[in-house]
């Protein structure tokens, strides 16, 4: 607790220390004040998608000495998780690995080809067809090409193209993709192209570490993460989003917190609360009636007159609804204020570039103005984090998610500490915003250098405060709940994003979405 309480004003006073200058000055892309242990990500474009898929296929083909279609079937079954596939191979063996995924490696269709009869009866259409017009799969089942082709078309249209099973009864083997491709190409080239596209896109659709960028309109890119699937990433198109839920980046909120908050701001739940607080239902038509005078005798528009005095239970319900409404309004008003400020400050980018252009044309010894853009990026990112911190606090210190995780005394202490850091962050963000609006292009070099130092120091302060906002709640027990869990047993959608201290959730190195 002493660590949290030690954040005095002295800790955040302006400084001329060289490390602060070196950390932010002349840094065009990445800020290193936050831990650099962020998620390892890779942007996959349309052009690099095939190469990325081929790399994973090659690893499995080399390890298991199988053909490409078998490697693809195994990877699709294991959702393109190569490490998981190799783990199953080590723990359960090659036979289990293949049978579980429905992969048959034995080449039945190539055996005894010289002794094959001239005609074969297809067990699907019950017709005798020439043997050269039939196809035998790896599992050994042989049917006519017409039936195979129709089977493939049906499965592709049903969305099962990535794992088309054999037509034989109770046979779970996966059809050879080379055979599917060949038969479809003869009479239905459009379906063959669709099949190829589905196989290629399965690397993204079925891969838990790769997801499409949710940009609108779609940029065509995908993002691959290597370390942590619960992180915030940025696409090369400029969109920053949560990799877990694909919504906008929402640190320090967890995905569930942000989902509940967005829904609460969108629906009419608080309107219902207001009606409960300020009205009483008519006993005849049940419409809500608001008293606008001093007398308790009111009249509804249906003509019914009744007394609006409340029973004790009604008073308790109304008081609880009133308390919930005021609490929501407290957090929502502050969240909205910072969201509106973010939108207004976004217009600063163009203005800042104009100021920099004017400054660079002056006869001055100062030529590098990267510190202005760095400070501006800090402002955008911290402003957005500050606005989301109110949604975070609404649920962290409320009764919906963490009621059983903290005692009242613990909650009060953590809330006070959190709000203290929040207020300090708010004050410093406002200072940074005010300084960035200064007409520095008209100032002398000495004044510009002073502004430069202020922006650099404020950016350093803001970094530390943003980390402390998450750190205040880092010691609380993680909530248990339904849904997917990590190794600690915590629901990944419900837990607070305290892991952001390591950079994966709460990374100020990422520029803000504009």
């Amino acid at each position: 607790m002493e660590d949290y309480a030690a954040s005095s004003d002295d800790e955040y006073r302006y400084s001329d220390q060289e490390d602060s200058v070196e950390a932010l000055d002349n840094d065009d892309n990445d800020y290193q004040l936050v831990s650099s242990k962020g998620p390892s990500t890779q942007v996959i474009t349309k052009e690099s998608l095939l190469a990325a898929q081929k790399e994973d296929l090659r690893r499995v083909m080399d390890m298991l000495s199988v053909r490409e279609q078998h490697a693809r079937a195994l990877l699709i079954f294991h959702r393109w998780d190569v490490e998981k596939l190799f783990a199953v191979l080590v723990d359960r063996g090659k036979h289990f690995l293949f049978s579980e995924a429905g992969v048959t490696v034995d080449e039945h269709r190539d055996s005894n080809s010289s002794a094959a009869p001239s005609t074969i009866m297809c067990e699907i259409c019950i017709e005798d067809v020439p043997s050269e017009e039939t196809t035998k799969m790896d599992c050994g089942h042989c049917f006519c090409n017409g039936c195979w082709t129709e089977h493939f078309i049906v499965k592709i249209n049903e969305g099962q193209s990535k794992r088309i099973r054999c037509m034989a009864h109770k046979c779970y083997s996966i059809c050879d993709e080379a055979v599917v491709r060949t038969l479809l190409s003869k009479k239905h080239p459009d379906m063959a192209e669709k099949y190829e596209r589905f196989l290629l896109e399965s690397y993204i659709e079925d891969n838990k570490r790769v997801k499409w960028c949710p940009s609108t309109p779609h940029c065509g890119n995908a993002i691959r993460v290597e370390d942590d699937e619960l992180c915030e990433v940025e696409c090369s198109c400029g969109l920053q989003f949560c990799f877990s839920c694909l919504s906008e980046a929402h640190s320090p909120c967890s995905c569930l917190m942000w989902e509940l908050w967005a829904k609460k701001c969108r629906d009419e739940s608080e309107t219902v609360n207001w009606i409960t607080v300020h009205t009483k239902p008519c006993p005849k038509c049940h419409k809500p009636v608001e008293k606008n005078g001093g007398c308790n005798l009111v009249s509804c528009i249906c003509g019914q007159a009744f007394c609006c005095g409340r029973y004790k239970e009604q008073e308790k319900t109304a008081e609880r609804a009133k308390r919930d409404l005021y609490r929501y309004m407290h957090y929502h008003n502050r969240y909205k204020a910072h969201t509106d400020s973010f939108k207004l400050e976004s217009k600063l980018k163009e203005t800042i570039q104009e100021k920099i252009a004017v400054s660079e044309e002056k006869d001055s010894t100062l030529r590098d103005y990267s510190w202005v853009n760095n400070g501006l990026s800090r402002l955008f990112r911290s402003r957005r984090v500050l606005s989301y911190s109110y949604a975070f606090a609404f649920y962290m210190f409320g009764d919906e998610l963490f009621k059983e995780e903290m005692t009242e005394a613990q909650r009060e202490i953590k809330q006070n500490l959190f709000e203290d850091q929040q207020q300090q962050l708010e004050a410093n963000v406002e200072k940074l915003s005010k300084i960035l609006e200064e007409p520095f292009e008209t100032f002398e070099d000495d004044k510009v250098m002073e502004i430069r130092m202020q922006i650099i120091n404020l950016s350093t302060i803001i970094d530390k405060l943003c980390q402390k906002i998450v750190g205040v709640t880092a010691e609380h027990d993680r909530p248990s709940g339904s849904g997917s869990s990590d190794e600690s047993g915590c629901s990944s959608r419900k837990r607070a994003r305290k892991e952001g201290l390591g950079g994966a959730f709460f990374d100020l190195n990422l520029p803000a979405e504009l």
Side-chain angles (χ1 to χ4, degrees):
M1 302 306 297
E2 295 177 0
D3 292 337
Y4 300 142
S7 57
S8 64
D9 292 339
D10 294 337
E11 181 181 353
Y12 302 115
R13 66 178 182 271
Y14 291 156
S15 169
D16 292 337
Q17 295 177 357
E18 294 182 359
D19 57 347
S20 296
V21 177
E22 294 174 357
L24 273 135
D25 204 15
N26 298 322
D27 185 7
D28 294 332
N29 296 316
D30 297 321
Y31 305 118
Q32 300 302 327
L33 296 174
V34 180
S35 172
S36 60
K37 297 191 292 183
S40 176
T41 62
Q42 174 189 2
V43 177
I44 301 176
T45 62
K46 294 178 181 178
E47 294 74 20
S48 62
L49 175 58
L50 181 60
Q53 189 183 65
K54 288 286 186 183
E55 175 62 23
D56 284 352
L57 288 170
R58 184 193 58 77
R59 290 179 61 189
V60 176
M61 291 166 64
D62 292 347
M63 175 64 72
L64 301 176
S65 300
V66 294
R67 294 184 297 171
E68 182 176 315
Q69 58 264 29
H70 297 138
R72 193 192 309 275
L74 290 169
L75 282 168
I76 290 176
F77 180 80
H78 290 285
R79 299 184 65 81
W80 291 90
D81 191 335
V82 180
E83 303 306 324
K84 180 181 177 182
L85 188 152
F86 288 163
V88 174
L89 174 65
V90 173
D91 295 341
R92 308 298 295 271
K94 190 172 182 178
H95 177 73
F96 177 85
L97 176 70
F98 281 37
S99 60
E100 182 187 35
V103 175
T104 306
V105 180
D106 296 333
E107 302 288 346
H108 291 287
R109 65 173 182 273
D110 294 335
S111 62
N112 301 325
S113 57
S114 59
S118 59
T119 61
I120 297 176
M121 189 188 77
C122 174
E123 296 181 2
I124 301 298
C125 60
I126 318 297
E127 291 185 4
D128 292 329
V129 294
S131 58
E132 60 270 16
E133 296 180 10
T134 63
T135 298
K136 181 182 290 188
M137 293 293 174
D138 291 345
C139 57
H141 294 115
C142 180
F143 304 106
C144 72
N145 292 343
C147 289
W148 278 121
T149 302
E150 292 302 318
H151 174 65
F152 298 152
I153 291 174
V154 169
K155 292 302 179 182
I156 291 173
N157 288 331
E158 289 179 352
Q160 303 179 32
S161 58
K162 290 170 284 190
R163 288 179 57 82
I164 300 178
R165 297 189 183 277
C166 175
M167 289 190 292
H169 182 58
K170 291 186 177 181
C171 180
Y172 302 104
S173 294
I174 305 302
C175 295
D176 188 333
E177 66 182 57
V179 174
V180 178
R181 190 180 297 112
T182 301
L183 293 181
L184 286 175
S185 299
K186 291 179 179 179
K187 294 184 178 180
H188 304 278
D190 56 329
M191 294 300 295
E193 183 180 347
K194 187 176 182 180
Y195 175 71
E196 289 281 6
R197 187 174 71 253
F198 283 163
L199 285 182
L200 184 62
E201 292 179 353
S202 72
Y203 181 74
I204 297 175
E205 302 291 349
D206 301 320
N207 195 333
K208 67 178 183 178
R209 295 195 179 276
V210 181
K211 291 184 180 179
W212 291 112
C213 171
S215 57
T216 305
H218 188 227
C219 64
N221 295 339
I223 304 290
R224 177 189 176 95
V225 298
E226 300 295 341
D227 302 327
D228 197 333
E229 300 153 43
L230 297 170
C231 62
E232 290 177 355
V233 297
E234 184 181 17
C235 179
S236 59
C237 70
L239 179 66
Q240 189 181 2
F241 62 95
C242 171
F243 189 83
S244 177
C245 65
L246 295 181
S247 63
E248 60 185 284
H250 48 69
S251 290
C253 292
S254 68
C255 294
L256 181 58
M257 282 180 179
W258 179 246
E259 179 185 333
L260 293 173
W261 179 257
K263 184 177 184 299
K264 195 174 191 66
C265 295
R266 189 172 55 245
D267 64 17
E268 298 181 354
S269 59
E270 299 311 321
T271 302
V272 174
N273 275 345
W274 189 93
I275 292 174
T276 303
V277 171
H278 298 94
T279 69
K280 185 177 180 181
C282 170
K284 181 178 179 181
C285 67
H286 305 292
K287 291 181 179 179
V289 179
E290 180 185 10
K291 186 180 74 168
N292 59 3
C295 180
N296 284 335
L297 183 64
V298 296
S299 296
C300 178
I301 57 174
C302 69
Q304 177 67 39
F306 64 97
C307 177
C308 68
R310 298 182 181 273
Y311 296 105
K312 289 185 177 180
E313 288 299 321
Q314 291 176 321
E315 291 176 352
K316 290 181 180 179
T317 302
E319 187 62 31
R320 183 168 58 250
K322 184 177 182 179
R323 189 167 57 248
D324 292 343
L325 174 62
Y326 288 165
R327 182 173 183 272
Y328 167 75
M329 290 175 62
H330 168 82
Y331 287 102
H332 181 268
N333 289 343
R334 286 155 180 78
Y335 160 79
K336 186 70 164 54
H338 286 291
T339 302
D340 292 342
S341 295
F342 176 82
K343 294 176 180 178
L344 292 173
E345 289 167 346
S346 297
K347 301 175 183 178
L348 271 177
K349 187 174 185 180
E350 185 177 345
T351 305
I352 289 290
Q353 298 308 316
E354 293 175 356
K355 291 180 180 179
I356 292 176
V358 172
S359 299
E360 290 175 340
E361 292 176 358
K362 290 194 320 180
D363 184 13
S364 171
T365 57
L366 296 176
R367 294 298 179 188
D368 183 11
Y369 289 89
S370 60
W371 49 271
V372 182
N373 288 321
N374 293 342
L376 187 64
S377 295
R378 265 314 191 281
L379 174 64
F380 292 150
R381 181 66 173 134
S382 56
R383 177 71 78 179
R384 189 171 65 182
V385 167
L386 187 57
S387 67
Y388 296 156
S389 70
Y390 286 99
F392 172 85
F394 179 81
Y395 289 107
M396 177 60 70
F397 306 116
D399 295 335
E400 289 190 51
L401 299 182
F402 296 92
K403 184 178 181 179
E404 304 300 327
E405 309 301 326
M406 294 179 282
T407 64
E408 287 297 326
Q410 289 175 329
R411 181 180 304 180
E412 183 178 357
I413 292 172
K414 291 181 182 293
Q415 185 172 359
N416 290 336
L417 292 171
F418 182 86
E419 290 176 352
D420 177 64
Q421 302 295 344
Q422 196 177 40
Q423 289 171 9
Q424 291 187 52
L425 175 60
E426 196 167 27
N428 284 281
V429 167
E430 297 300 340
K431 288 179 184 179
L432 181 59
S433 176
K434 183 177 180 180
I435 292 174
L436 284 169
E437 292 176 357
E438 292 280 356
F440 61 84
E441 78 280 7
T442 63
F443 295 159
E444 297 296 329
D445 288 357
D446 292 344
K447 181 65 173 178
V448 174
M449 287 298 295
E450 180 183 345
I451 290 177
R452 171 178 170 272
M453 285 307 306
Q454 289 178 343
I455 290 177
I456 289 174
N457 280 288
L458 278 171
S459 298
T460 305
I461 293 168
I462 286 171
D463 273 349
K464 293 178 181 179
L465 288 170
C466 282
Q467 294 179 64
K468 286 179 178 289
I469 278 185
V470 180
V472 168
T473 55
E475 297 300 325
H476 84 284
D477 294 333
R478 287 180 173 181
S480 58
S482 59
S484 61
S485 302
D486 59 8
E487 293 180 356
S488 65
C490 168
S491 169
S492 62
R493 296 181 69 248
K494 190 174 180 180
R495 66 183 177 187
R497 294 196 163 202
K498 61 193 177 194
E499 292 86 341
L501 290 169
F505 288 88
F506 198 78
D507 191 1
L508 283 173
N509 296 329
L510 293 174
E513 174 195 347
L514 297 179

